[in-house]
Amino acid sequence: MNLLEKEKIVEKLFARFYEQYPDLERFGENGKKRTKEDINYHFQYMETAYSLLNKKVFRDYIIWLSDVLESRGVGKQLLYINLEWIAEELRVLDETEEIRFFLEILSEGMELIKSSKQEE
């Protein structure tokens, strides 16, 4: 996946979050900055996992991030939605080994979030 494709997806998802969740505006400019950073972090961990061919890197990131979000009272639902939206965007790109890997780890990440919600 090239940088331009990634940047387009980040911008699209950022806009989608604020369209579908207008209450996020209450966090102001700092919240907007953090939202964009978070989407980029998801990609960074996906890319690291792929470069190492180690799905555990992304899995551990999702577990850690879920815990952080819960501790801040944000909840995991927005994380789940973010991963789901990234997967939607990747499915329309040309299928490569990298994209297949990303889709696998995104699916596993979403399953982790769903199973941890059921345990609560």
Side-chain angles (χ1 to χ4, degrees), residues 52-100:
L52 299 172
L53 293 177
N54 184 347
K55 294 178 181 181
K56 188 177 182 323
V57 170
F58 190 72
R59 183 182 197 283
D60 290 348
Y61 166 68
I62 293 301
I63 292 168
W64 170 80
L65 185 54
S66 292
D67 290 345
V68 168
L69 293 173
E70 284 292 306
S71 73
R72 294 184 180 161
V74 176
K76 302 171 189 177
Q77 186 61 24
L78 290 178
L79 174 58
Y80 183 92
I81 290 166
N82 202 331
L83 300 183
E84 188 174 49
W85 289 352
I86 291 171
E88 285 175 14
E89 294 299 321
L90 294 179
R91 284 187 198 102
V92 300
L93 299 177
D94 290 336
E95 188 175 311
T96 63
E97 182 180 319
E98 180 186 44
I99 297 296
R100 281 191 298 275

Side-chain angles (χ1 to χ4, degrees), residues 3 18 24 33 65 113:
L3 183 60
Y18 280 85
L24 291 174
K33 178 183 172 196
L65 185 54
I113 295 166

